[in-house]
Amino acid sequence: MPEIDLDPFLLLALRLADAAGAKIRPYFRRPLVVADKPDLTPVTAADRAAEAAMRALIEAHFPEHGIIGEEFGRMREGAEFVWVLDPIDGTKSFISGLPLFGTLIALTARGRPILGIIDQPISRERWVGAAGRPTILNGAQIHCRSCPLLGAATLFATTPDMFREGDATAFTRLSTAVKLVRFGADCYAYGLLAAGFIDLVLEASLKPYDFCAMVPIVEGAGGVATDWQGEALDLASDGRILVAGDRRAHFAALALLDS
């Protein structure tokens, strides 16, 4: 693939994050109607308004691009460039008044994430990653921390309920090998890992809009993001995700998952 000029896409991605945040903030910690989608996950007017605003901007600037969004589905998904949007990753936290959620914005090229933003619209924290560039948090370059040994590692997962049958057994092997296990941060955990505060994130049953944005962010901070087999993540990945700030911890964690 020829080298891609990411700057026009990055400028739009920043506008998408601004637009989504403007839609989300008026709903936070306010009376809110919460509906259940067919998969029993919650959705609100804030989710829908934020995604609609982002889609409108993409259509206005790059109408040939595809879009995959959590709330309004897929369009032109066979395009070379596809935007992947999760307006509120962590809606359960959002509706509970807990600011551990974020807007996820990714751009993929031929299925591979090349640009990603995690935007926390309440704390006004914004992680920006782009292929071949260092990751930026609110204007400052950030790095993952060194953690060669699992016994010293902090591991995050969204919830233990996402691990079933064999996946649950694998999660237990890893979680019992690390120093500290925490749950409930959703996408915020990836931002903490990229900023050097935690060491591992293990997830299962994710959708592309749950993980694509974090790939350039983690990689640009010196970390590694793969599936449970150690393969690179793309739109076709199975939703089982292992992210590490240190490649040595990643290698050790893969070995336990495959035991």
Side-chain angles (χ1 to χ4, degrees), residues 1-40:
M1 180 186 299
E3 185 173 349
I4 299 169
D5 180 6
L6 292 176
D7 288 338
F9 303 145
L10 182 57
L11 287 174
L12 177 59
L14 295 172
R15 290 190 61 189
L16 300 185
D18 290 342
K23 295 295 185 182
I24 291 167
R25 280 187 289 272
Y27 289 98
F28 186 62
R29 293 182 180 169
R30 299 289 191 273
L32 194 61
V33 175
V34 180
D36 288 326
K37 294 187 284 190
D39 62 0
L40 301 183

Side-chain angles (χ1 to χ4, degrees), residues 16 19-21 23-24 37 43-59 67-75 83-89 103-105 209:
L16 300 185
K23 295 295 185 182
I24 291 167
K37 294 187 284 190
V43 63
T44 71
D47 298 80
R48 293 177 173 134
E51 184 170 322
M54 291 190 287
R55 282 176 174 264
L57 283 170
I58 294 168
E59 289 288 341
I67 303 175
I68 298 174
E70 181 174 14
E71 307 309 334
F72 297 114
R74 298 170 177 243
M75 59 188 301
W83 295 86
V84 187
L85 310 173
D86 191 344
I88 301 179
D89 182 76
T103 298
L104 300 182
I105 300 163
Y209 45 73

Side-chain angles (χ1 to χ4, degrees), residues 106-165:
L107 178 65
T108 64
R110 300 183 184 177
R112 169 70 178 162
I114 59 170
L115 184 156
I117 289 179
I118 301 172
D119 188 72
Q120 212 307 316
I122 307 305
S123 62
R124 308 287 182 131
E125 295 171 287
R126 181 175 294 177
W127 290 260
V128 180
R133 304 185 188 187
T135 295
I136 302 298
L137 170 58
N138 286 5
Q141 186 173 334
I142 57 173
H143 302 276
C144 300
R145 70 184 182 186
S146 173
C147 182
L149 302 176
L150 290 182
T154 296
L155 168 69
F156 268 62
T158 296
T159 171
D161 296 336
M162 66 174 20
F163 304 104
R164 303 190 181 278
E165 299 178 351

Side-chain angles (χ1 to χ4, degrees), residues 128-259:
V128 180
R133 304 185 188 187
T135 295
I136 302 298
L137 170 58
N138 286 5
Q141 186 173 334
I142 57 173
H143 302 276
C144 300
R145 70 184 182 186
S146 173
C147 182
L149 302 176
L150 290 182
T154 296
L155 168 69
F156 268 62
T158 296
T159 171
D161 296 336
M162 66 174 20
F163 304 104
R164 303 190 181 278
E165 299 178 351
D167 288 354
T169 303
F171 173 73
T172 298
R173 286 197 298 269
L174 181 56
S175 63
T176 55
V178 302
K179 181 177 182 179
L180 178 64
V181 180
R182 302 292 294 166
F183 299 102
D186 291 282
C187 65
Y188 203 80
Y190 300 112
L192 294 175
L193 185 142
F197 293 103
I198 70 172
D199 307 293
L200 295 164
V201 182
L202 188 72
E203 308 267 47
S205 66
L206 298 188
K207 304 297 184 184
Y209 45 73
D210 296 315
F211 66 79
C212 281
M214 67 81 178
V215 174
I217 291 170
V218 168
E219 293 178 344
V224 55
T226 71
D227 65 15
W228 286 21
Q229 287 72 49
E231 299 296 326
L233 297 170
D234 58 27
L235 289 176
S237 295
D238 68 3
R240 297 190 299 166
I241 308 302
L242 173 65
V243 180
D246 190 308
R247 292 182 179 275
R248 295 165 292 183
H250 183 266
F251 182 79
L254 280 178
L256 283 180
L257 294 177
D258 192 41
S259 296

